[in-house]
Amino acid sequence: MGDSLYERILALGEREVSRFHMPGHKGRLALFGGQPFARYDLTEIPGADSLYDAGDVIADCEAAYAGLYGAAGTALSAGGSTLCIQAMLALAGPPGSRILAARGCHAAAIHAMTLLDLDPIWMATDSRDGFPEPVSPDQLAAMLDAHPQAAAVYLTSPTYDGRLSDIGALAALCHAHGKKLLVDGAHGAHLPFLADNLHPIHLGADFCCDSLHKTLPVLTGGALLHTADPAMAGRLKDAMRLFGSTSPSYLILASIDAARVWLETDGPAALRAACDRMARVYDLCREEGWITVPPARDPMRLTLAVAANGWTAAELRTACDAHRIEPELIGEDYAVFLGAPMLAEEDWSRLEALCRSMPHRAPRPIHRPAHLPERVMSPREAFARPRRLLPAAEAVGHIAAQVNAPCPPGIPLVVPGERIEQQLEGEIWCVAAV
């Protein structure tokens, strides 16, 4: 495998493995008649429209996606859901606002809150068998009563391990308290097209982002930002241009538009078939006795408990290699295999063979009660303070100055402004003095 980025990508792309990981096109994307992509890597020339001032074909594409997702307004992103998260948080409230947020959010949300000087009030949940539970309506109701000054509520659904929140009930609570519900739905771009529409906008969320590339045939970085509020539809682009590149990739934008055509024709049936195929894998896992993520779950991904099934991450990694499978994630708690319509039957058969091959051991139920580290200051204050770099062993007890969030899954182990309670890896930036 070569040393340059090009050589590495070339070598990885030539491997004969089943890609149970992002992106959704699974290496089988046939755009532009199979011609070299560089020919179509354009900029805002006449006829190409302009992303942040769309008035032609890009605007038409956005209007079509708004119709597909049932939104009052939709904006394209060539900067992934990260750009969408930044934009919707910019619209959540003025600097200094407090945001009720589920603790298992992506690091991109913490970075955006730090930049925007938004102050998160965390909602932590128990973890069972390695799977963090979603925020419940009762938990949110109590938090809304306790923090009436909060400007908005921020949740992730589906979560990285595939849990779905009760968005309908949570949205109703938010609206009863006069709050907007913002949802990082990056992993759920396929949800509107299933037999039951499980998309957050359909269920009552005010804002939601979708990473199209995660499960749909779109190039990496293709995403959407939706709003259900007609009054906010015109502000999406204003918020996105605060953070987005003025040179968005037209290759990404073109792949988004190609996926729109697919979603208007064969896509929904193909997505439902892929979810049905993944359901057969879940049936096999239940027959084998494996612990999987419980309902309600994203039907496009398989999430297996690792430690609770008596396995080690290294053991599962070896088994995946033997079956020529590259998963989305193998962690100590759980492993994720991300499906998509672009997978061939051979790929699904490999996944089933992997599930049959794992050793049977006594399950080890795991329960970790909800816990939040000590908060000393806001993320913005911690980021702005003088800092010093400490070895991980010496950082315990100090206040974190930056997010520590291995990616994948990109979920923070520690947030700026919190006291570090566990030894992490490498070196950690800490606040120099309080």
Side-chain angles (χ1 to χ4, degrees), residues 71-423:
T74 295
L76 304 189
S77 167
S81 280
T82 293
L83 175 57
C84 302
I85 289 167
Q86 292 165 336
M88 65 180 173
L89 282 169
L91 297 171
S97 297
R98 293 186 171 182
I99 307 293
L100 291 177
R103 175 63 183 200
C105 68
H106 193 273
I110 311 300
H111 294 149
M113 291 181 197
T114 302
L115 182 63
L116 294 163
D117 193 17
L118 300 175
D119 196 0
I121 302 172
W122 296 117
M123 297 181 287
T125 59
D126 288 2
S127 175
R128 298 182 187 277
D129 296 329
F131 309 122
E133 296 178 347
V135 172
S136 70
D138 287 345
Q139 182 181 11
L140 180 59
M143 292 294 286
L144 286 166
D145 289 339
H147 301 279
Q149 77 281 23
V153 175
Y154 183 92
L155 301 172
T156 303
S157 182
T159 56
Y160 196 87
D161 61 4
R163 301 297 294 274
L164 292 170
S165 298
D166 186 351
I167 296 295
L170 298 172
L173 281 168
C174 289
H175 298 156
H177 285 77
K179 314 298 182 186
K180 299 288 189 182
L181 175 59
L182 287 59
V183 179
D184 173 0
H187 288 269
H190 53 286
L191 294 178
F193 309 102
L194 306 184
D196 295 320
N197 188 341
L198 300 174
H199 193 266
I201 289 292
H202 175 73
L203 298 174
D206 298 283
F207 293 91
C208 181
C209 64
D210 291 298
S211 285
L212 299 178
H213 67 93
K214 286 180 166 57
T215 54
L216 305 185
V218 170
L219 293 174
T220 297
L224 302 174
L225 175 59
H226 312 281
T227 182
D229 184 354
M232 300 301 293
R235 297 195 61 191
L236 297 182
K237 286 291 182 68
D238 290 338
M240 293 178 79
R241 74 170 78 231
L242 293 174
F243 309 97
S245 170
T246 55
S247 300
S249 167
Y250 271 81
L251 293 177
I252 296 173
L253 296 177
S255 74
I256 293 174
D257 198 38
R260 171 192 59 80
V261 175
W262 181 74
L263 288 171
E264 291 173 340
T265 53
D266 301 330
L271 288 166
R272 292 169 190 170
C275 289
D276 289 344
R277 190 65 182 82
M278 186 63 87
R280 289 165 55 188
V281 179
Y282 267 98
D283 289 341
L284 171 63
C285 290
R286 281 191 289 271
E287 292 170 5
E288 294 291 332
W290 305 141
I291 297 173
T292 64
V293 69
R297 60 171 178 81
D298 171 15
M300 190 64 85
R301 74 189 56 216
L302 172 68
T303 308
L304 292 170
V306 177
N309 278 322
W311 309 328
T312 65
E315 187 174 41
L316 186 53
R317 174 78 261 180
T318 298
C320 285
D321 290 345
H323 287 84
R324 298 165 69 186
I325 283 176
E326 189 64 59
E328 171 66 22
L329 170 74
I330 297 178
E332 299 298 329
D333 284 339
Y334 61 82
V336 176
F337 302 83
L338 196 54
M342 304 310 169
L343 290 164
E345 180 56 34
E346 177 186 17
D347 302 318
W348 293 108
S349 296
R350 288 177 181 175
L351 182 59
E352 290 174 332
L354 168 71
C355 294
R356 292 190 183 96
S357 73
M358 295 306 295
H360 284 263
R361 299 186 182 122
R364 297 184 294 165
I366 298 171
H367 176 214
R368 297 192 185 102
H371 174 72
L372 289 174
E374 177 192 359
R375 173 199 162 101
V376 182
M377 61 186 70
S378 73
R380 178 59 175 259
E381 184 180 359
F383 182 80
R385 290 287 190 97
R387 58 176 59 190
R388 57 176 173 162
L389 190 61
L390 294 177
E394 298 178 19
V396 176
H398 288 265
I399 301 166
Q402 70 177 38
V403 169
N404 186 285
C407 190
I411 299 170
L413 299 175
V414 65
V415 169
E418 292 179 347
R419 197 172 302 281
I420 299 171
E421 298 179 342
Q422 59 179 315
Q423 182 169 326

Side-chain angles (χ1 to χ4, degrees), residues 2-22:
D3 291 328
S4 73
L5 176 61
Y6 170 78
E7 291 169 335
R8 292 284 181 91
I9 296 299
L10 187 65
L12 289 169
E14 292 294 325
R15 293 188 305 166
E16 291 292 328
V17 298
S18 295
R19 299 187 183 188
F20 283 92
H21 60 85
M22 294 183 277

